[in-house]
Amino acid sequence: MDFAKNSKLLYIGYYGFAESQIRRISLPDSLKIIERFAFANCPKLETVYFSENSNLCVIEMNAFLMSSIKYFSAPKSTIIIKSGAFKNCNNFNAIELLGEKVMICDICNSENFFLAAFPNSKDAFIEINIAKVNKGFKAFFAPYTKCYWNILTD
């Protein structure tokens, strides 16, 4: 699914695409927020595209709950990914956040999750539940990143 290039869409609301059969979606540059459950229970959704000019700032809790996403690359504008945004996404194994300042909460809720990359980060806050982390988990940061970790045990 694609939006018009001149779309003025600012947010995708609660349950906006929930339980739909979409396989991929290209989100408009105007989008700022993906609300809770926006793509919940989309069993065929594997790919979400953003352009370099994306204005996405926030991905709310449970936004992609139980989707089939394997990899997610958030645009530079994305600052916050809230707890459980990818909860019960059993195929989800990697995330890349391209912004300089990022906050991501409770990203490892799948035993398949193993890679988080922050190639442009200068400040990063990461919350991780070590009880749910794949033993091979790796995180990569830009040089000189100030990184703050909040380690949960369940």
Side-chain angles (χ1 to χ4, degrees):
M1 173 170 187
D2 296 315
F3 286 87
K5 289 199 183 247
N6 61 349
S7 172
K8 302 287 187 229
L9 182 70
L10 294 177
Y11 65 93
I12 296 177
Y14 297 113
Y15 298 97
F17 288 91
E19 299 184 4
S20 70
Q21 298 299 309
I22 60 173
R23 294 182 183 275
R24 67 165 206 67
I25 189 165
S26 293
L27 297 171
D29 293 345
S30 58
L31 185 69
K32 291 187 179 281
I33 300 171
I34 298 175
E35 300 257 356
R36 292 184 197 181
F37 305 105
F39 294 95
N41 199 22
C42 290
K44 296 182 179 179
L45 180 61
E46 294 183 354
T47 309
V48 179
Y49 296 103
F50 301 95
S51 82
E52 286 185 27
N53 299 322
S54 175
N55 289 300
L56 182 69
C57 297
V58 178
I59 299 173
E60 294 283 354
M61 295 172 59
N62 299 317
F64 293 94
L65 175 76
M66 297 175 65
S67 73
S68 293
I69 290 178
K70 296 176 185 174
Y71 165 81
F72 190 84
S73 181
K76 290 181 180 181
S77 59
T78 306
I79 298 170
I80 300 171
I81 298 180
K82 293 193 178 177
S83 180
F86 299 96
K87 187 174 184 179
N88 295 335
C89 294
N90 295 328
N91 297 322
F92 188 60
N93 59 31
I95 190 166
E96 177 181 51
L97 279 80
L98 299 173
E100 291 184 5
K101 291 186 177 191
V102 295
M103 179 177 146
I104 186 164
C105 301
D106 194 18
I107 54 172
C108 294
N109 50 38
S110 165
E111 291 181 9
N112 296 325
F113 187 82
F114 68 90
L115 176 66
F118 309 88
N120 304 317
S121 61
K122 292 185 178 170
D123 288 302
F125 175 87
I126 294 114
E127 182 177 276
I128 191 168
N129 187 329
I130 59 172
K132 298 177 183 175
V133 175
N134 180 306
K135 289 182 173 44
F137 174 76
K138 294 176 179 57
F140 298 95
F141 298 91
Y144 310 108
T145 298
K146 285 187 248 172
C147 187
Y148 307 92
W149 291 86
N150 186 23
I151 308 296
L152 306 173
T153 58
D154 221 355

